[in-house]
Amino acid sequence: MREIKADIRLGDCVEVLRSFADNTFDLIVTSPPYADSRSKTYGGIKPDDYVAWFLPRSSEFLRVLKPTGTFILNIKEKAANGERHTYVLDLILSLRKQGWLWTEEFIWHKKNCYPGKWPNRFRDAWERCLQFNKSKKFKMLQDAVRVPMGEWAQTRLKSLGKNDVIRFNSQAGSGFGKNIANWLNRDLAYPTNVIHLATETGNKNHSATFPKSLPEWFIKLFTQEDDWVLDPFLGSGTTCEVAQEMGRNSVGIDIMAEYYHMSKSKIKEVDRFLLEESASYGKHNRKRNSHVHRKKH
Amino acid sequence: MREIKADIRLGDCVEVLRSFADNTFDLIVTSPPYADSRSKTYGGIKPDDYVAWFLPRSSEFLRVLKPTGTFILNIKEKAANGERHTYVLDLILSLRKQGWLWTEEFIWHKKNCYPGKWPNRFRDAWERCLQFNKSKKFKMLQDAVRVPMGEWAQTRLKSLGKNDVIRFNSQAGSGFGKNIANWLNRDLAYPTNVIHLATETGNKNHSATFPKSLPEWFIKLFTQEDDWVLDPFLGSGTTCEVAQEMGRNSVGIDIMAEYYHMSKSKIKEVDRFLLEESASYGKHNRKRNSHVHRKKH
DNA sequence: AGCTCTTATGAATCATTGA
DNA sequence: GTCAATGATTCATAAGAGC
């Protein structure tokens, strides 16, 4: 059985990454601590200090990313004193000065955003997914994230209990749901730069992570099997979990021991699951993500 | 019949606005010429010069906007040389230095954007609608743009769950019954900061037009009847057309004679329509937007 | 299997009070 | 006076239980 590595490290990514060679990773996808949030875990970076805190780390990212690789940064500025913070804008400008290309800004449109009502503001239902690259010629596998089009497709998917078109696409691709494979093949369209996913709820293990489908989408788009994925702010381990399920090698780094152990145990679960699966089917199983979908159903 | 003015002007807004008094407008909503587009009209603003070109104009906007007023700037940076331009980011930072508050960034999610495919980029399905204000206390009529609640509400409110009781008791102490009253019989919810409108098709007279529903939404949200709306880059006249239909006074400015005449003729059409409507119903018609909705239905 | 109903909770924001 | 903690407000999803 081919080995897929999920290397979980404890420490500050700026230090941990020093032991990694240049041009190692195909994709860096991460959701760093936002300014003034997760204050207990990362020392509570003030908005004014955020760029200065981030740049030494992104410098290492730049070094370990392959020339054809992509860096996806999921971030959103908070409101304070009636205004939006500008530190994310400053960060984009500073990253360009550091040598990054600001290739694209994807919008993650959150279907179930936090409720609330304020006299002069509506609920915040979106976050930025900023795409940075080292060169204009980066690897992008657009066909991997094509989605079915048409109204019938949308309602059919909803009736399956998953609003996630992408996931459904891979189900059909793995031979699960042959009844709809016909129109799937007929009506595939490329997505836009607006990603419409729900945040995951009911997850008691941790407080704040992105849903699995978000890193999954970018991993599909920017990597192939056996490629290397890095999440330097791993949090509860979502990125490595998804990467392993998808047959990508991954490195995840977090500074909090609590998150480190949580991620470690997740990866172990996946390993055990793959082993059982492999035994019961009595053969190699390249398409690991197929299990996951079957499980969820 | 009460008079609603739609004042269309020909010229550069930086000059035309000099004849307007301070604190005149309740809302400025506009979609300015993007960098490198409409090159013949404003002398072909290069991305690098965009901020310098914009600031004298926004300075006038700041002057003629009421302290409680709002400035909505619909803009999106183009991709060039494989990157997103940064002039919009620079513009936000510069506008803040000019005295504006960057209150919010709405996302206009375009449902049916142009199809297309590029080797390393997906279709661009969103634009920024940047909200700027002169003070934190601005006029916002949130109830005017409420949307139907999701279906969950009907079943959810039949019987409140145990955890609702716990959460309300622990946070609000005595407020449980009061909160129930807030939820019962409610079928409208406040929207989010992601605006989901279809782009209008079939309007081929001009290139970069927003759909009527976009200015309509902001006019509803930030103005009342008889208020004053300004669009300093009027283009084909959409803003003034919508404003008049909604019973708001408006001023629209454009530097191109072609657009000027187009807008003028549109306004006349609206006048005639109102007149006919008024005649056929044989009475005054304060709520002009009711026509619009009836028509749309 | 496929519904309906129940329940938990999520990178939220602002005003006010307390240190 | 600056900064930190607390209370009030409120929507949409998915998992799980029940039939």
Side-chain angles (χ1 to χ4, degrees):
Chain A
M1 191 167 184
R2 185 200 39 166
E3 186 90 22
I4 292 295
K5 285 180 187 163
D7 186 0
I8 314 291
R9 303 286 186 101
L10 175 64
D12 190 334
C13 57
V14 73
E15 291 160 13
V16 174
L17 283 175
R18 287 200 190 109
S19 62
F20 284 83
D22 297 359
N23 309 324
T24 299
F25 294 100
D26 298 277
L27 173 65
I28 302 174
V29 56
T30 195
S31 197
Y34 300 176
D36 259 0
S37 66
R38 285 168 72 172
S39 55
K40 291 160 195 165
T41 68
Y42 287 94
I45 310 128
K46 293 275 188 295
D48 291 344
D49 305 331
Y50 197 82
V51 174
W53 172 82
F54 198 90
L55 287 179
R57 288 159 181 84
S58 57
S59 175
E60 282 297 289
F61 305 162
L62 190 61
R63 184 181 64 77
V64 298
L65 187 68
K66 286 183 188 168
T68 57
T70 293
F71 171 30
I72 296 291
L73 182 61
N74 166 228
I75 198 166
K76 181 63 192 276
E77 57 272 61
K78 295 260 174 89
N81 297 322
E83 274 192 284
R84 287 281 165 197
H85 275 299
T86 59
Y87 67 90
V88 175
L89 310 185
D90 290 326
L91 181 60
I92 295 172
L93 298 174
S94 297
L95 285 173
R96 286 191 75 249
K97 285 178 193 158
Q98 197 175 47
W100 293 96
L101 300 176
W102 179 37
T103 311
E104 180 58 300
E105 179 169 351
F106 291 89
I107 294 297
W108 172 25
H109 181 187
K110 293 184 280 189
K111 285 190 278 195
N112 56 338
C113 61
Y114 204 88
K117 179 196 177 299
W118 306 275
N120 48 16
R121 190 176 295 283
F122 286 138
R123 290 174 291 150
D124 193 1
W126 65 278
E127 295 191 13
R128 306 177 195 278
C129 291
L130 303 165
Q131 178 189 346
F132 296 95
N133 291 93
K134 285 174 86 164
S135 88
K136 287 189 219 172
K137 302 214 168 187
F138 52 89
K139 179 157 83 173
M140 189 180 197
L141 301 129
Q142 300 190 338
D143 288 341
V145 294
R146 282 194 296 178
V147 294
M149 55 192 296
E151 274 186 334
W152 192 77
Q154 303 293 338
T155 54
R156 184 79 177 88
L157 290 173
K158 273 184 186 163
S159 73
L160 282 175
K162 266 279 180 195
N163 275 349
D164 188 354
V165 220
I166 296 139
R167 199 179 287 281
F168 183 78
N169 184 12
S170 74
Q171 281 179 351
S174 60
F176 193 72
K178 286 173 185 171
N179 51 335
I180 36 192
N182 288 337
W183 60 259
L184 254 184
N185 293 334
R186 198 176 63 216
D187 272 336
L188 282 179
Y190 294 98
T192 68
N193 57 2
V194 177
I195 308 162
H196 203 185
L197 302 171
T199 57
E200 276 171 9
T201 60
N203 204 338
K204 275 194 169 182
N205 280 336
H206 52 89
S207 54
T209 56
F210 44 34
K212 288 172 79 168
S213 36
L214 191 68
E216 184 186 350
W217 197 80
F218 288 111
I219 288 171
K220 269 186 194 162
L221 181 57
F222 292 116
T223 72
Q224 296 163 292
E225 288 201 353
D226 299 320
D227 278 356
W228 280 89
V229 177
L230 167 68
D231 188 341
F233 307 101
L234 184 60
S236 60
T238 307
T239 300
C240 288
E241 190 187 356
V242 172
Q244 191 168 50
E245 288 167 3
M246 295 172 70
R248 273 74 167 175
N249 298 289
S250 63
V251 173
I253 307 170
D254 206 279
I255 201 169
M256 288 262 308
E258 185 189 338
Y259 282 125
Y260 168 77
H261 293 301
M262 195 185 297
S263 304
K264 276 286 208 185
S265 64
K266 269 188 187 168
I267 295 305
K268 271 184 192 159
E269 281 175 23
V270 172
D271 276 340
R272 194 176 56 231
F273 181 68
L274 288 177
L275 213 63
E276 287 168 4
E277 184 84 5
S278 180
S280 66
Y281 282 87
K283 62 167 189 174
H284 290 192
N285 201 325
R286 292 278 300 186
K287 300 215 170 174
R288 286 137 203 267
N289 42 349
S290 61
H291 316 162
V292 181
H293 298 139
R294 212 173 302 145
K295 229 175 92 184
K296 281 214 170 148
H297 178 69
Chain B
M1 193 166 181
R2 184 199 41 167
E3 186 89 23
I4 292 294
K5 287 181 186 161
D7 186 0
I8 314 291
R9 302 285 185 100
L10 175 64
D12 189 332
C13 57
V14 72
E15 291 160 11
V16 173
L17 282 175
R18 288 203 189 105
S19 62
F20 285 82
D22 297 359
N23 310 323
T24 298
F25 294 100
D26 298 276
L27 172 67
I28 302 174
V29 56
T30 194
S31 197
Y34 300 169
D36 264 359
S37 68
R38 286 174 71 175
S39 54
K40 291 163 195 165
T41 63
Y42 285 93
I45 311 129
K46 291 279 188 296
D48 291 345
D49 305 330
Y50 196 82
V51 173
W53 171 83
F54 198 91
L55 287 179
R57 288 160 181 84
S58 56
S59 175
E60 281 298 289
F61 305 162
L62 190 61
R63 186 182 63 76
V64 298
L65 187 67
K66 287 183 188 170
T68 57
T70 293
F71 171 31
I72 296 291
L73 181 61
N74 168 227
I75 197 167
K76 180 65 190 276
E77 58 273 60
K78 293 273 165 67
N81 297 321
E83 271 193 287
R84 288 283 168 193
H85 275 299
T86 59
Y87 64 89
V88 175
L89 311 185
D90 290 326
L91 182 60
I92 295 172
L93 298 175
S94 297
L95 285 172
R96 286 191 75 246
K97 284 179 193 156
Q98 197 174 48
W100 294 96
L101 299 176
W102 180 35
T103 311
E104 180 57 301
E105 180 169 348
F106 290 90
I107 294 296
W108 172 28
H109 182 189
K110 293 184 279 188
K111 277 183 196 167
N112 49 348
C113 58
Y114 282 105
K117 180 187 180 299
W118 296 269
N120 48 15
R121 191 174 294 283
F122 286 137
R123 286 173 293 156
D124 194 358
W126 65 278
E127 295 190 13
R128 306 177 196 278
C129 291
L130 303 165
Q131 177 189 346
F132 296 95
N133 290 94
K134 287 173 83 163
S135 88
K136 285 197 235 174
K137 302 215 166 185
F138 52 87
K139 179 157 82 173
M140 190 181 199
L141 301 129
Q142 302 189 335
D143 289 342
V145 293
R146 283 193 295 177
V147 294
M149 272 186 133
E151 289 179 7
W152 61 270
Q154 288 137 29
T155 53
R156 178 76 162 76
L157 294 179
K158 280 180 189 168
S159 63
L160 286 187
K162 188 176 64 182
N163 198 47
D164 289 326
V165 183
I166 293 165
R167 273 177 72 153
F168 280 129
N169 281 344
S170 62
Q171 290 192 16
S174 60
F176 184 56
K178 190 174 61 187
N179 282 306
I180 288 249
N182 282 345
W183 283 77
L184 288 179
N185 300 323
R186 181 186 296 182
D187 52 355
L188 291 177
Y190 295 96
T192 69
N193 57 1
V194 177
I195 307 163
H196 208 180
L197 306 169
T199 54
E200 265 167 23
T201 56
N203 203 344
K204 290 182 177 175
N205 281 336
H206 50 93
S207 52
T209 169
F210 45 32
K212 289 171 79 168
S213 40
L214 191 67
E216 184 187 349
W217 196 80
F218 287 113
I219 290 171
K220 267 188 202 163
L221 182 55
F222 292 116
T223 71
Q224 296 162 290
E225 288 201 353
D226 298 320
D227 278 355
W228 281 88
V229 177
L230 167 68
D231 187 341
F233 308 102
L234 185 61
S236 60
T238 307
T239 301
C240 288
E241 189 187 358
V242 172
Q244 191 168 51
E245 287 169 1
M246 295 172 71
R248 272 75 166 174
N249 298 288
S250 64
V251 173
I253 307 170
D254 205 278
I255 202 168
M256 283 205 38
E258 185 189 340
Y259 283 126
Y260 169 78
H261 293 301
M262 193 186 299
S263 303
K264 276 288 210 186
S265 64
K266 267 188 188 169
I267 295 305
K268 271 183 192 160
E269 281 175 24
V270 172
D271 276 341
R272 195 175 55 234
F273 178 68
L274 289 177
L275 212 63
E276 287 167 3
E277 184 87 4
S278 180
S280 67
Y281 283 86
K283 61 169 186 174
H284 290 192
N285 204 325
R286 290 277 303 184
K287 298 214 169 174
R288 285 139 203 264
N289 43 350
S290 62
H291 315 163
V292 182
H293 296 138
R294 212 174 300 145
K295 244 173 80 182
K296 277 195 178 163
H297 178 68

